[in-house]
Amino acid sequence: MHFDFDQIDAIINARSIAIVGASGKPGKFGHALVAAQLAMGFEGPLYLVNPGEEEILGRRTYPSLESLPEAPDLVYLTIPAQLSLDVLRDCGRLGVRGVVIIAAGFREAGPQGAALEREALELARRGGFRILGPNCFGIYNPRNRLTLLPGYDLSRTAGDTAFLSQSGGFSLHLARMGKSLGIPFRAVVSYGNGTDLDECDLLRYFAQDPGTRTIAAYLEGTRKGREFLDALREACAQKPVLVWKVGKGEASRRAVSSHTGSLAGSAEIWHSALAQAGAISVSGIDEILDVLLVLRHLGRNWGRRILVAGGGGGLGTYGADLAEVEGLSVPPLEAVTRARLGEILVRAGAVVGNPLDLGTPMIPLPLFAAAMKEAAANPSTDLLVFDLAVNFARDLVGDRGIFEAADALARARKETGRSVAAVLYSRACDPEDMSVEDLLRRVRARLLEQGVAVFPSMARAVRALSLAGGPACQRRN
Amino acid sequence: MHFDFDQIDAIINARSIAIVGASGKPGKFGHALVAAQLAMGFEGPLYLVNPGEEEILGRRTYPSLESLPEAPDLVYLTIPAQLSLDVLRDCGRLGVRGVVIIAAGFREAGPQGAALEREALELARRGGFRILGPNCFGIYNPRNRLTLLPGYDLSRTAGDTAFLSQSGGFSLHLARMGKSLGIPFRAVVSYGNGTDLDECDLLRYFAQDPGTRTIAAYLEGTRKGREFLDALREACAQKPVLVWKVGKGEASRRAVSSHTGSLAGSAEIWHSALAQAGAISVSGIDEILDVLLVLRHLGRNWGRRILVAGGGGGLGTYGADLAEVEGLSVPPLEAVTRARLGEILVRAGAVVGNPLDLGTPMIPLPLFAAAMKEAAANPSTDLLVFDLAVNFARDLVGDRGIFEAADALARARKETGRSVAAVLYSRACDPEDMSVEDLLRRVRARLLEQGVAVFPSMARAVRALSLAGGPACQRRN
């Protein structure tokens, strides 16, 4: 079917929803979805439909879609696959805009399921509504407070990042982690088998949506190779598009087929097609998060010259090593910076250069602040990355000192106008070390709030910097 | 100087030590080392030497080495570089076995420091003792309870893994994390500039040491390329040797020179030399830890056929994708296993295959236990890897259910005799989510105790499995 921006927009921004198969029984999808939706506080009317239950979680239920006071924009089906068709007929009669089919048991489950899926699509065409799914977790949209199954604790802050995903689990995972890392979403759409609305529709939608600045996608395959690549090329011309495409080997292709009934296609063809379209090829939710952080805090066209700093010679050597393998540049310090830092870092063990080694995980904080400002201001530095070894540094300056160090990094950024990032890596992971982890998380939040990107390891930082930096940053091997 | 096993052995297993430069002033190396050594409880006499302090942390001090009641086996120097030579003369006169020079300011600091380092070496030759360092953190040995600077909280459990490292920070980091991950050490030796005892000596020592089963090394470079490769080849013929060699780019070579005054050498030559010698090439402490876990729980010659299991289609697809890229095999399930699992996993959404998808992050625990046992017993499976999405699964079965699931994995391993590993990956990282992290750490300890290897992500698991699996597992690209 041809692409229709307004249809998709009406679904993602639905003003009223009904959940058919809503349930009061914990463990059922129909219960988890209602609970999640109530916790998120959907802004419009939320109708619960179940002929067998009178009240669910304290709210009245309706016996059928037809008994509702209005036709909802969006209907969720949390009923078994084989019961879907009757409800879809009702949807067509009532004139709903869209239907989210949560259940599995369609195309991915074999010929019978495939027949069911074809019929569902036929009913949607005839009824004039669109289907999201089947075999999906739905939509997360902080603006109208739609949420994924079972995304009861997602952020209510709206942002400009969109994620479209064939996997429900990964939709939830990215939305959940984005909340922790200060990446607010425009919307996250789990589209499962994609029988009607698919990767092409959703990609075009977010490419055209003026509120979306960055798009990420998890793809198992597509049935419309040509159309998808056209859509991708157009999207990449508008905004950064991250694509995570799985299905590189035999087993993962088998898995793709039984997960969402997709055809994975050749890994080699995909690889070059993504590169030609101008997409950022990523692998894994962690890598998506890291690249989103780079795009958010540094933008796409940051220079690729980094200054690697930390307290310890091995740390900096390793950081520089990783950075250079990823195609980033770690140029020597300029003479002016070398002189100024030489005056600040006079202790034995400190090495003034790039990498910059404080000689110990943390130095007295006024010196640290002065050093970071000079380092960020170095004329040939586009980005200062400081590796804050939280548990070692804490032994030297205490928890409060760690926060002060974080604030010093944020000030260095603000006062120099340069980009600054931090690596917060915990070298303590026993059950007894929880206070280090707690400190690390609070410091991370403090840094992110102030525009300092945070990564959990130097390896992940430089990888993301390289990926986001575009073709200038090509990995060496 | 020629290799002498007994000399090195006497130093690593020192029965008495003296700390010259011991100090009561927090912030000084001489304080941190004394505090660490007291906390670890070194088993022999520990003499504190400082002519300016009478008592340090409640213990008497001596004004000089010569005033001690005996010549200690091992002397630590925590005094500035330029004061070292006089003490080294005393060491020679007294007949100590070894000296650990903690201070920086030698070869890595320029020509003056290099001259100092040459003189120190000359004094060691004349005095008949060996030097570890300078510019190092010393030795961790749980048998006599020597510890690194400032390794006050390292494990007291002795094991069979040795680590030699030019970086003090990485020595401490690996020792610390090994404690959390149930990897006990034979010894960890930080050798810094390696002016006397160097990578060749230490590698030969651990290769010959019958109590060492696995060796890992962090190398910035070597001044004895030929000799080192001979030592490496011999070591690799005896036991697995992991080598992390940095210095791949311009900046990291500069860093190597200013960190430990080493020559990094050509990355390409190192790469092929390590492969020819039969070493396992690794990068980063995390990768060393992961490979050590594989070697400990699966051994080196495990088959490379894995069964990827989890609750969620995306998860398994991704896991299989990663595994195949790393050169592991993810073969289809055997018919017998398919039939048995088909009887256990009847719910919609579950996909019986390899990858194996439970359909939800956790299923009722008796079913889970039965499924894991069948999966581990699958005839063409060498290793079952289960991705336990702790925070999602916890919502379904509670904390207690997570422990029961862990025990079910351990039982599957025990009852089938097959290897089982778990991925414990937290999808919650807010300061408010600390209880998930706490649960994850406790579950990890429980799994490791029972011989189930644990990895923090599927990506790290399959990478380590591939690295440890030897030449049969070659990464595809």
Side-chain angles (χ1 to χ4, degrees):
Chain A
M1 211 178 140
H2 88 121
F3 171 72
D4 185 331
F5 183 93
D6 293 333
Q7 272 185 320
I8 302 172
D9 200 59
I11 290 172
I12 289 178
N13 294 298
R15 285 160 310 182
S16 55
I17 60 174
I19 299 177
V20 176
S23 170
K25 298 186 188 112
K28 295 208 155 228
F29 277 169
H31 179 265
L33 184 62
V34 173
Q37 210 52 82
L38 290 177
M40 264 299 271
F42 176 70
E43 298 207 320
L46 161 61
Y47 301 108
L48 307 185
V49 178
N50 187 330
E53 300 189 37
E54 289 198 354
E55 198 189 89
I56 292 169
L57 293 167
R59 295 176 66 108
R60 80 170 277 197
T61 65
Y62 296 84
S64 67
L65 278 179
E66 297 193 310
S67 61
L68 300 184
E70 62 173 326
D73 283 349
L74 187 59
V75 173
Y76 283 83
L77 300 195
T78 60
I79 54 177
Q82 60 277 16
L83 306 179
S84 306
L85 300 183
D86 282 343
V87 186
L88 291 175
R89 277 183 204 103
D90 292 347
C91 290
R93 264 199 303 279
L94 291 169
V96 308
R97 310 293 297 264
V99 177
V100 179
I101 306 182
I102 302 284
F106 289 88
R107 182 175 61 217
E108 83 289 353
Q112 264 190 311
L116 210 57
E117 190 168 317
R118 277 193 304 273
E119 276 192 78
L121 183 59
E122 184 53 36
L123 290 171
R125 293 284 176 270
R126 272 189 276 156
F129 60 88
R130 307 299 301 257
I131 291 176
L132 187 69
N135 190 17
C136 76
F137 281 6
I139 299 163
Y140 161 54
N141 177 356
R143 287 164 291 150
N144 61 358
R145 302 221 179 140
L146 276 182
T147 196
L148 296 162
L149 166 81
Y152 53 83
D153 60 348
L154 300 182
S155 169
R156 290 159 185 209
T157 304
D160 53 21
T161 298
F163 182 48
L164 52 119
S165 167
Q166 275 186 279
S167 155
F170 289 139
S171 303
L172 195 58
H173 181 178
L174 188 73
R176 186 68 197 66
M177 292 293 288
K179 181 185 179 190
S180 300
L181 297 175
I183 300 166
F185 289 95
R186 180 76 172 167
V188 173
V189 181
S190 156
Y191 66 95
N193 291 7
T195 194
D196 180 15
L197 292 178
D198 60 16
E199 54 284 347
C200 299
D201 297 298
L202 294 166
L203 188 56
R204 285 210 175 100
Y205 171 76
F206 287 119
Q208 292 182 24
D209 174 38
T212 298
R213 281 187 58 193
T214 307
I215 302 171
Y218 166 80
L219 280 187
E220 301 200 337
T222 183
R223 287 182 297 277
K224 305 175 182 166
R226 188 69 173 262
E227 194 184 329
F228 178 74
L229 289 176
D230 286 344
L232 183 62
R233 207 173 303 113
E234 282 166 38
C236 292
Q238 308 290 320
K239 40 196 98 173
V241 182
L242 288 63
V243 178
W244 172 19
K245 170 69 180 66
V246 293
K248 297 189 186 75
E250 281 308 310
S252 58
R253 264 172 238 164
R254 283 197 315 271
V256 159
S257 154
S258 54
H259 182 218
T260 56
S262 305
L263 294 171
S266 145
E268 292 69 25
I269 291 175
W270 269 99
H271 183 80
S272 62
L274 293 179
Q276 277 171 28
I280 301 174
S281 250
V282 290
S283 173
I285 291 290
D286 287 343
E287 208 163 273
I288 293 180
L289 289 164
D290 294 338
V291 173
L292 289 176
L293 281 175
V294 175
L295 294 173
R296 183 169 178 79
H297 294 287
L298 284 80
R300 182 141 199 198
N301 295 315
W302 72 280
R304 57 191 200 90
R305 298 170 304 174
I306 73 169
L307 199 166
V308 178
L315 218 61
T317 305
Y318 177 42
D321 213 43
L322 289 168
E324 293 184 295
V325 167
E326 290 291 351
L328 303 177
S329 162
V330 189
L333 281 187
E334 304 283 323
V336 52
T337 312
R338 187 178 285 275
R340 286 184 182 162
L341 281 172
E343 284 166 24
I344 298 167
L345 301 170
V346 289
R347 56 168 287 144
V351 179
V352 172
N354 185 13
L356 174 65
D357 175 8
L358 303 184
T360 175
M362 189 44 65
I363 56 177
L365 291 158
L367 295 183
F368 179 72
M372 290 302 103
K373 194 177 161 186
E374 292 303 339
N378 182 50
S380 59
T381 294
D382 297 308
L383 171 70
L384 165 66
V385 183
F386 186 79
D387 193 330
L388 181 52
V390 175
N391 34 334
F392 296 157
R394 181 199 208 188
D395 285 348
L396 300 172
V397 296
D399 285 17
R400 196 163 153 182
I402 299 291
F403 282 107
E404 286 174 31
D407 291 344
L409 287 172
R411 272 203 312 281
R413 172 182 169 276
K414 212 172 158 191
E415 290 171 4
T416 63
R418 298 298 178 79
S419 294
V420 175
V423 170
L424 292 186
Y425 178 95
S426 173
R427 286 147 185 100
C429 68
D430 270 345
E432 297 79 50
D433 297 326
M434 291 300 291
S435 68
V436 178
E437 181 66 26
D438 182 60
L439 173 61
L440 187 152
R441 291 176 181 199
R442 287 183 292 125
V443 172
R444 180 173 58 208
R446 178 109 143 219
L447 284 163
L448 289 168
E449 267 166 33
Q450 297 182 81
V452 176
V454 179
F455 304 93
S457 70
M458 190 60 88
R460 279 179 56 179
V462 298
R463 177 86 183 129
L465 289 164
S466 169
L467 285 166
C473 296
Q474 286 308 314
R475 203 166 195 274
R476 283 203 189 169
N477 47 25
Chain B
M1 214 179 138
H2 90 119
F3 171 70
D4 184 332
F5 182 91
D6 293 332
Q7 272 184 322
I8 303 172
D9 199 58
I11 290 171
I12 290 178
N13 294 298
R15 284 160 310 181
S16 55
I17 59 174
I19 300 177
V20 176
S23 170
K25 297 185 187 114
K28 295 211 154 225
F29 277 169
H31 179 266
L33 183 61
V34 173
Q37 209 52 81
L38 290 176
M40 264 298 271
F42 176 69
E43 298 208 321
L46 161 60
Y47 302 107
L48 307 185
V49 178
N50 188 331
E53 300 189 36
E54 289 198 355
E55 197 188 270
I56 293 169
L57 293 167
R59 294 176 66 106
R60 78 169 279 197
T61 64
Y62 296 85
S64 66
L65 279 179
E66 296 193 311
S67 62
L68 301 184
E70 62 172 327
D73 282 350
L74 188 59
V75 173
Y76 283 83
L77 301 195
T78 61
I79 54 178
Q82 60 278 16
L83 305 180
S84 306
L85 300 184
D86 282 342
V87 185
L88 291 176
R89 276 183 205 104
D90 292 346
C91 290
R93 264 198 303 278
L94 290 169
V96 307
R97 310 293 299 264
V99 176
V100 179
I101 307 182
I102 300 286
F106 289 88
R107 183 174 60 216
E108 83 290 353
Q112 264 189 311
L116 211 55
E117 190 168 316
R118 276 194 304 273
E119 275 192 78
L121 183 59
E122 184 53 34
L123 289 172
R125 292 286 176 270
R126 273 189 274 155
F129 61 88
R130 307 298 302 257
I131 291 176
L132 188 69
N135 191 15
C136 77
F137 282 6
I139 298 162
Y140 162 54
N141 176 355
R143 289 165 291 150
N144 61 357
R145 303 223 177 138
L146 275 182
T147 196
L148 296 162
L149 166 81
Y152 53 84
D153 59 349
L154 301 181
S155 168
R156 289 159 187 209
T157 304
D160 53 22
T161 298
F163 182 49
L164 52 118
S165 168
Q166 275 186 279
S167 155
F170 289 139
S171 303
L172 195 59
H173 181 179
L174 188 73
R176 188 67 199 66
M177 292 294 286
K179 181 185 179 189
S180 300
L181 297 174
I183 300 166
F185 289 96
R186 180 77 172 165
V188 172
V189 181
S190 156
Y191 66 95
N193 293 6
T195 194
D196 179 14
L197 292 177
D198 61 16
E199 53 284 347
C200 299
D201 296 298
L202 294 167
L203 188 56
R204 285 212 175 98
Y205 171 76
F206 287 119
Q208 291 181 24
D209 174 38
T212 299
R213 280 188 58 192
T214 307
I215 303 171
Y218 166 79
L219 279 186
E220 301 200 337
T222 183
R223 286 183 298 276
K224 304 175 182 166
R226 189 69 172 263
E227 193 183 329
F228 178 74
L229 289 176
D230 286 343
L232 184 62
R233 207 173 303 112
E234 281 165 40
C236 291
Q238 308 289 321
K239 41 196 99 174
V241 182
L242 288 64
V243 178
W244 173 19
K245 170 67 181 69
V246 293
K248 298 189 184 77
E250 281 308 309
S252 58
R253 264 173 238 163
R254 282 198 315 271
V256 159
S257 155
S258 54
H259 183 218
T260 55
S262 304
L263 294 171
S266 146
E268 292 69 26
I269 290 175
W270 269 98
H271 183 78
S272 62
L274 293 179
Q276 278 172 27
I280 301 174
S281 251
V282 291
S283 173
I285 290 290
D286 287 344
E287 209 163 271
I288 292 180
L289 288 164
D290 295 338
V291 173
L292 289 177
L293 280 174
V294 174
L295 294 172
R296 183 170 178 79
H297 293 287
L298 283 82
R300 181 140 200 199
N301 296 315
W302 71 281
R304 56 193 203 92
R305 298 169 305 175
I306 73 169
L307 199 166
V308 178
L315 219 60
T317 305
Y318 177 41
D321 213 43
L322 289 168
E324 293 183 296
V325 168
E326 290 291 351
L328 303 176
S329 162
V330 189
L333 281 186
E334 303 284 323
V336 53
T337 312
R338 187 178 285 275
R340 286 185 181 161
L341 281 172
E343 284 166 24
I344 299 167
L345 301 170
V346 290
R347 55 168 287 144
V351 179
V352 172
N354 186 13
L356 174 65
D357 175 8
L358 302 183
T360 176
M362 189 44 65
I363 55 177
L365 291 159
L367 294 183
F368 179 72
M372 289 303 103
K373 192 175 161 185
E374 291 303 339
N378 182 50
S380 58
T381 294
D382 297 307
L383 171 70
L384 165 66
V385 183
F386 186 79
D387 193 330
L388 180 53
V390 175
N391 35 334
F392 296 157
R394 181 199 208 190
D395 284 349
L396 300 172
V397 295
D399 285 17
R400 197 163 151 181
I402 299 292
F403 283 106
E404 285 174 32
D407 290 344
L409 287 172
R411 271 202 312 283
R413 172 182 169 274
K414 211 172 158 191
E415 289 171 3
T416 63
R418 298 298 178 79
S419 294
V420 176
V423 170
L424 292 186
Y425 178 95
S426 174
R427 286 148 185 99
C429 68
D430 269 345
E432 297 78 50
D433 297 325
M434 290 300 291
S435 69
V436 178
E437 181 67 26
D438 182 60
L439 174 61
L440 187 151
R441 292 176 182 200
R442 286 182 293 123
V443 172
R444 179 174 58 208
R446 178 108 144 219
L447 284 163
L448 289 168
E449 267 166 33
Q450 297 181 80
V452 176
V454 179
F455 303 94
S457 71
M458 191 59 88
R460 280 181 53 179
V462 299
R463 178 87 183 127
L465 288 164
S466 169
L467 284 167
C473 296
Q474 286 308 316
R475 202 166 196 272
R476 283 203 190 171
N477 48 25

